[in-house]
Amino acid sequence: MTGADGTAPEAAEQRLFIGGSWVAPDNGFYEVIDPATEGVVGLAPEASRAQVHAAASAAREAFGPWSRTPVEERAAVLARAADCIQRNFVAYAALAQAESGATTGTARGMQVGVGVARFRRYARPEPVDTPLPPQINEAGPFGGAAVMGALAVRQPVGVVTCITSYNNPWANPAGKIAPALAMGNTVVVKPAPQDPLSVYRMAEALEAAGVPPGVVNVVSGSTAESGEAAVDSPDVDMVSFTGSTPVGQRIAEVCGRGMKRQLMELGGKGAAIVFDDADLASAVSGIGTTFSFYSGQICTAPTRVLVQRGVHDQLVRQLAAYIGHLKVGDPRERGTVVGPVISAAHRDRVESYVELGRKEGARVVAGGERPLLPAGFYVAPTLLADCTPDMRVVREEIFGPVVVVLPFDDEEEAIALANDSDYGLIDYVWSGDVARAFRVARRLRAGGVGVNTVGRNMEAPFGGFKKSGVGRDVGSYALHAYSETQAIVWQG
């Protein structure tokens, strides 16, 4: 179904994937817009509430057989899906670029490339039984102390609804679907409305790989109806969501009423602490990823920069110079570093925050004006200095190429400023004193801390403190996230 350039077939009407069949949507179709050109990429299906519930029902029916399928066979399906995606790599990357506005390097390397890697990662069967050492139990209601054996067994949760983010239509869904299937769960995938077509290509790859009917279902919609139905269906046992904190809170309320398991990767306002002994070039390069990586539409970005006063002005100058070398424009053009944001509405939202920063007293050091381009939803990389902790641009997630800078005097103040946030996903520390950097890292209320880097280890647990989420995934932690732990105890 995918053409040579990855876009032509999507001009047709995409169908839903329910119970192993491609189904016409009850509520028609809506346009998927290329944020770089404002052209139509394709027509996505608008699922009805009944169709979403039908997808969950199909997943429930498929759960028993799939959960009993040997883990090696489940892994083989994931491996074949990875091979299928790899064969269509260039076309899939072109489609992802058209839907999300990512640069060519990002679409190929960080979107489709990471998607392939995640399917391959969970195609490696891992033991699901963990023996526990025998323990001498204290006397209980049935007599004296006894030596008891125990085994901790991971069991699949059941039907998992995967609601994915728009900033990465390949890596994010793959990071949910692959470990969920590896553990023996079945899934209902509700992709972000802005770029769902790539997820349907993922479903095609899984279908070609031999996934049984009902194990994977994909339903989309431009309104809240389909997402709400995917959460409240009585057939759903768990919801895995990546997106904004306000939406996550609403999902959590529904999950709480139904006692559904949750995995929530929500918003962030990452603090980057830069001490006066730091390698400033490294710090500037790391902070600069906020502008170049998904045009700032990423919850892990170091958007809140805390700089020790002695190097504050120098770092601000270097960041401004860095911005001056970034090419903003069509992500398909060679040399483009900053592409568009996802939509006109989101562009307006980001710009409103920049204007709010001005009104609050922040100084616009670089950016702040809309790029003069003929089409597309572009925001100039923007640096705000002279910020204070009470400003909304400092406290709220902007989700765009905007960085705010605040000074600090000493280590204690830096830690206090970093922790003064509703969010706690990933923070960063730059210092030439590694012992100090690790000491500070241990005191930060964040699920992850980068020391002198913005890089990630894809086997390390990922998730947030506070309003940045619930639970951990990535690597082996994802297998735990999509499973229940069962204890089997016996007397030896």
Side-chain angles (χ1 to χ4, degrees):
M1 291 177 65
T2 304
D5 64 356
T7 59
E10 282 67 44
E13 297 172 341
Q14 173 65 56
R15 291 179 173 241
L16 305 165
F17 189 56
I18 299 174
S21 299
W22 295 94
V23 180
D26 288 343
N27 294 343
F29 302 86
Y30 68 94
E31 293 181 341
V32 176
I33 303 300
D34 184 331
T37 67
E38 302 183 47
V40 177
V41 179
L43 301 177
E46 192 85 62
S48 67
R49 181 177 180 82
Q51 287 181 309
V52 177
H53 281 193
S57 177
R60 171 61 63 201
E61 184 176 352
F63 170 65
W66 179 250
S67 66
R68 294 189 294 270
T69 299
V71 65
E72 293 80 9
E73 293 182 27
R74 299 198 300 256
V77 170
L78 299 180
R80 291 194 295 270
D83 291 341
C84 182
I85 297 168
Q86 187 66 54
R87 286 193 297 271
N88 293 280
F89 186 89
V90 174
Y92 286 169
L95 174 59
Q97 182 174 58
E99 288 191 285
S100 69
T103 62
T104 301
T106 296
R108 293 184 178 184
M110 299 306 299
Q111 293 188 348
V112 182
V114 172
V116 170
R118 287 182 168 171
F119 273 100
R120 294 204 193 284
R121 165 63 180 84
Y122 296 105
R124 305 199 310 258
E126 293 189 18
V128 295
D129 300 340
T130 305
L132 304 178
Q135 299 289 320
I136 299 177
N137 286 2
E138 297 179 1
F142 304 109
V147 177
M148 306 290 286
L151 188 67
V153 180
R154 288 206 301 265
Q155 299 279 20
V157 177
V159 176
V160 181
T161 285
C162 303
I163 303 179
T164 66
S165 60
Y166 69 71
N167 60 352
N168 197 322
W170 280 91
N172 186 259
K176 298 179 185 296
I177 296 169
L181 297 186
M183 271 307 307
N185 301 285
T186 56
V187 298
V188 176
V189 187
K190 165 55 178 70
Q194 297 91 339
D195 48 12
L197 302 177
S198 289
V199 182
Y200 284 107
R201 302 290 79 73
M202 191 179 297
E204 286 181 354
L206 284 158
E207 181 185 34
V211 71
V215 171
V216 175
N217 306 270
V218 184
V219 290
S220 57
S222 62
T223 69
E225 178 183 357
S226 54
E228 290 172 354
V231 172
D232 67 25
S233 166
D235 285 310
V236 170
D237 301 293
M238 174 180 173
V239 176
S240 175
F241 171 70
T242 300
S244 72
T245 294
V247 174
Q249 289 171 319
R250 292 198 293 273
I251 291 173
E253 291 174 1
V254 177
C255 288
R257 291 195 293 272
M259 298 303 292
K260 301 176 193 282
R261 285 278 301 278
Q262 303 167 47
L263 178 62
M264 298 279 184
E265 197 264 282
L266 307 176
K269 191 73 174 180
I273 299 174
V274 183
F275 286 100
D276 56 11
D277 62 350
D279 179 339
L280 292 189
S282 172
V284 167
S285 178
I287 295 163
T289 61
T290 300
F291 309 121
S292 58
F293 199 44
Y294 303 131
S295 302
Q297 299 168 114
I298 182 165
C299 50
T300 59
T303 55
R304 191 166 48 108
V305 180
L306 314 176
V307 192
Q308 198 156 19
R309 204 171 295 275
V311 293
H312 173 274
D313 293 350
Q314 185 179 355
L315 185 78
V316 168
R317 286 195 300 271
Q318 290 189 20
L319 277 171
Y322 183 94
I323 289 173
H325 292 96
L326 300 178
K327 179 182 177 181
V328 181
D330 190 332
R332 297 171 180 83
E333 292 183 1
R334 185 181 298 275
T336 294
V337 178
V338 183
V341 296
I342 195 67
S343 66
H346 190 56
R347 176 192 59 196
D348 294 346
R349 178 181 182 275
V350 175
E351 290 180 340
S352 72
Y353 266 105
V354 175
E355 183 58 29
L356 174 63
R358 284 192 176 100
K359 292 178 180 177
E360 291 180 315
R363 174 168 56 96
V364 179
V365 179
E369 302 294 335
R370 184 177 298 183
L372 298 176
L373 294 166
F377 312 127
Y378 294 93
V379 175
T382 299
L383 180 64
L384 301 177
D386 299 342
C387 297
T388 57
D390 59 320
M391 291 180 177
R392 285 180 58 192
V393 289
V394 173
R395 307 201 66 82
E396 299 176 12
E397 184 179 39
I398 299 174
F399 216 61
V402 180
V403 167
V404 300
V405 183
L406 298 83
F408 69 86
D409 290 309
D410 56 32
E411 183 176 312
E412 289 298 320
E413 185 184 10
I415 294 168
L417 287 170
N419 288 335
D420 183 21
S421 174
D422 289 337
Y423 298 103
L425 188 55
I426 296 186
D427 287 341
Y428 305 87
V429 182
W430 272 275
S431 174
D433 184 342
V434 176
R436 173 169 66 176
F438 274 82
R439 181 174 68 243
V440 169
R442 291 295 301 271
R443 294 183 60 191
L444 296 177
R445 299 291 295 164
V449 181
V451 173
N452 293 327
T453 183
V454 293
R456 285 194 36 211
N457 182 319
M458 299 310 291
E459 289 297 314
F462 179 71
F465 287 15
K466 298 183 279 189
K467 292 184 179 180
S468 284
V470 177
R472 297 292 183 273
D473 67 352
V474 180
S476 296
Y477 294 88
L479 298 176
H480 288 281
Y482 293 98
S483 65
E484 297 278 16
T485 303
Q486 179 185 59
I488 301 175
V489 180
W490 67 95
Q491 183 168 339

